[in-house]
Amino acid sequence: MINLLNFNQLQLADYFASIGEKPFRAKQLMRWMHHFGVHDFTLMTDIAKSLREKLAVGTEITLPSVQLEQISNDGTRKWLIGTDDKNGVANSIETVFIPEDDRGTLCISSQVGCALACTFCSTGAQGFNRNLSVSEIIGQLAIANRSLRSESGYELLPVNDRIISNVVMMGMGEPLTNYDNVVTAMQIMLDDSAYGLSRRRVTLSTSGIVPAMDKLKEDCPVALAVSLHAPNDALRDLIVPINKKYPIKDLMAACNRYLEKAPRDFVTFEYVMLNGVNDMMEHAHQLLDVIKNVPCKLNLIPFNPFPNSGYETSKPSHIRVFRDILMQAGYVVTVRKTRGDDIDAACGQLAGKVLDKTKRTLKAIPIEVDA
Ligand code: SAH
Ligand code: SF4
């Protein structure tokens, strides 16, 4: 069975052409599936009955299953979403909604686990199982939309009346090592017939897969966040091991190339604050030197602890000193607030359940993209 949620509009038009239907039907179907969240063919009244019948036989519109929905005291929500596994082992991923005064942000996962093994990340600690399909990535947006709307009485409104105004690819997994599926899903997010989000409101966070960053700037330039986390290669090699393959100098050059096409005129550098590891004054000064040629904003993320991580969160006074050094140099610096503490929804705590298939050598990391 073909799951139509795996197609962007162009691919859907090609599919329609291949079954002898008019390609423009793709737009209508995108609107029903994504804009209105209608997945029952019989309700798609402006599509010819004969086509609806044909679709009902050969295709499906199927979302992944929701295993659990949790709501935090601060309004943050988390969905545990099941992903089937051929050998019957349950895997799950997590999706988080963070309501704020002026926006609602959905944090989406791209893989079951992650192979890159950053030492401070609970997803990384679990290893890698598999890439998510397009339907599983865009399905997270559909599931969150459906749930948030049904509660607010907005069920029947199209997605223009947005509760979810922003999407960040910052959940489980490294989005740029699941390149094709992530790009197709983001194209659906940006498609006016589907979710119609602007490029500035979709942010992809990467640990720095340089060739894929170059490709992304051509294929789907959305806002970019880069997980820097260390101000020199020796330290970054230790905590973000992919640095051995794409060191800081190459990463900074890739950021500048990305900015030629990016929807914003800066990248956001994320920097996790690990007590006694990367949070000292000398690190802040080194960091200023590293980023000096890249237009950027900085986001300091207090480390969110998880069992047996071996790290501690930086002291608030150290974070303030670190932030002030950067601010005095003229940078816009934010310190991320932890949300959804009571439901483990914070950055880097998304764990799901992962059947680890990682081969822990740098060579085995699936980082190559077709250039
Ligand atoms: N793989 C991508 C996106 C997912 S992680 C990336 O690494 O950028 C999203 C952000 O959370 C990254 O900046 C990541 O480094 C950070 N993060 C991971 N574990 C964390 C933890 N325990 N505490 C705080 N931030 C963490
Ligand atoms: Fe993967 Fe990002 Fe976690 Fe590193 S921080 S292990 S790249 S999810």
Side-chain angles (χ1 to χ4, degrees):
M1 224 25 161
I2 292 175
N3 189 350
L4 297 176
L5 293 178
N6 281 315
F7 293 144
N8 64 20
Q9 194 173 153
L10 265 178
Q11 293 164 339
L12 196 56
D14 283 348
Y15 173 68
F16 279 175
S18 78
I19 59 168
E21 295 289 340
K22 296 268 182 308
F24 75 83
R25 297 275 175 215
K27 192 174 185 136
Q28 281 175 306
L29 199 67
M30 291 301 278
R31 282 182 72 76
W32 281 114
M33 288 193 296
H34 298 291
H35 195 74
F36 291 108
V38 170
H39 294 168
D40 178 348
F41 293 119
T42 61
L43 300 177
M44 301 177 180
T45 42
D46 61 353
I47 296 181
K49 198 151 173 252
S50 58
L51 172 54
R52 282 191 265 154
E53 283 166 2
K54 209 191 242 180
L55 292 175
V57 175
T59 72
E60 60 182 0
I61 302 175
T62 306
L63 291 174
S65 62
V66 180
Q67 296 176 329
L68 184 70
E69 177 170 352
Q70 287 174 289
I71 306 179
S72 155
N73 295 330
D74 67 12
T76 302
R77 279 166 195 249
K78 185 167 89 168
W79 293 267
L80 194 66
I81 293 177
T83 58
D84 54 331
D85 194 82
K86 303 243 162 18
N87 49 25
V89 179
N91 279 302
S92 48
I93 47 130
E94 298 185 11
T95 307
V96 175
F97 175 68
I98 306 136
E100 286 172 286
D101 291 345
D102 58 340
R103 74 185 85 172
T105 303
L106 192 70
C107 179
I108 288 186
S109 295
S110 57
Q111 298 180 315
V112 185
C114 183
L116 299 197
C118 301
T119 53
F120 52 84
C121 172
S122 73
T123 305
Q126 293 193 87
F128 175 73
N129 183 284
R130 68 169 175 85
N131 284 329
L132 293 181
S133 64
V134 176
S135 58
E136 288 167 332
I137 300 170
I138 201 69
Q140 296 171 61
L141 184 48
I143 286 168
N145 238 325
R146 189 181 58 189
S147 148
L148 290 163
R149 279 210 233 158
S150 63
E151 265 180 43
S152 55
Y154 285 134
E155 205 164 357
L156 296 175
L157 287 178
V159 286
N160 284 354
D161 298 280
R162 289 195 182 91
I163 300 169
I164 298 169
S165 61
N166 294 54
V167 169
V168 293
M169 300 299 302
M170 290 188 188
M172 296 169 70
E174 167 50 54
L176 291 186
T177 59
N178 182 14
Y179 186 86
D180 289 344
N181 292 348
V182 164
V183 166
T184 303
M186 293 196 306
Q187 285 163 341
I188 299 171
M189 293 173 201
L190 304 179
D191 184 340
D192 282 336
S193 304
Y195 289 93
L197 291 171
S198 91
R199 290 179 190 285
R200 302 164 66 90
R201 290 179 175 271
V202 176
T203 301
L204 183 141
S205 173
T206 179
S207 54
I209 315 293
V210 166
M213 289 164 66
D214 283 329
K215 196 157 150 47
L216 186 70
K217 87 173 201 288
E218 305 299 333
D219 295 343
C220 192
V222 292
L224 186 70
V226 172
S227 293
L228 189 52
H229 304 319
N232 60 63
D233 282 326
L235 185 53
R236 196 162 190 267
D237 281 353
L238 289 177
I239 65 177
V240 184
I242 195 68
N243 192 67
K244 292 180 203 146
K245 182 141 189 166
Y246 304 115
I248 292 176
K249 194 161 158 273
D250 297 356
L251 182 55
M252 294 302 117
C255 289
N256 273 333
R257 290 194 298 274
Y258 193 86
L259 285 174
E260 291 163 16
K261 294 273 173 76
R264 293 174 180 272
D265 51 9
F266 61 90
V267 294
T268 302
F269 287 122
E270 297 160 281
Y271 195 100
V272 64
M273 300 297 293
L274 302 166
N275 188 34
V277 176
N278 65 352
D279 66 345
M280 290 170 258
M281 288 170 71
E282 72 205 59
H283 295 128
H285 290 291
Q286 283 175 27
L287 182 60
L288 285 174
D289 193 48
V290 159
I291 63 175
K292 66 174 185 268
N293 294 322
V294 185
C296 63
K297 292 187 180 175
L298 291 143
N299 189 208
L300 305 181
I301 316 174
F303 169 66
N304 289 306
F306 57 93
N308 306 320
S309 72
Y311 292 111
E312 288 168 7
T313 310
S314 299
K315 296 188 177 57
S317 59
H318 286 191
I319 298 180
R320 274 198 299 277
V321 170
F322 198 94
R323 180 200 61 189
D324 289 348
I325 294 173
L326 303 173
M327 283 173 91
Q328 272 152 23
Y331 286 94
V332 174
V333 189
T334 47
V335 178
R336 192 172 294 174
K337 278 196 238 90
T338 290
R339 299 284 305 262
D341 247 353
D342 49 337
I343 56 168
D344 281 349
C347 214
Q349 284 181 328
L350 304 188
K353 241 191 294 158
V354 179
L355 173 73
D356 186 1
K357 289 186 179 165
T358 315
K359 296 187 186 67
R360 290 252 182 241
T361 66
L362 254 187
K363 264 206 196 117
I365 295 173
I367 38 168
E368 302 304 342
V369 291
D370 311 325

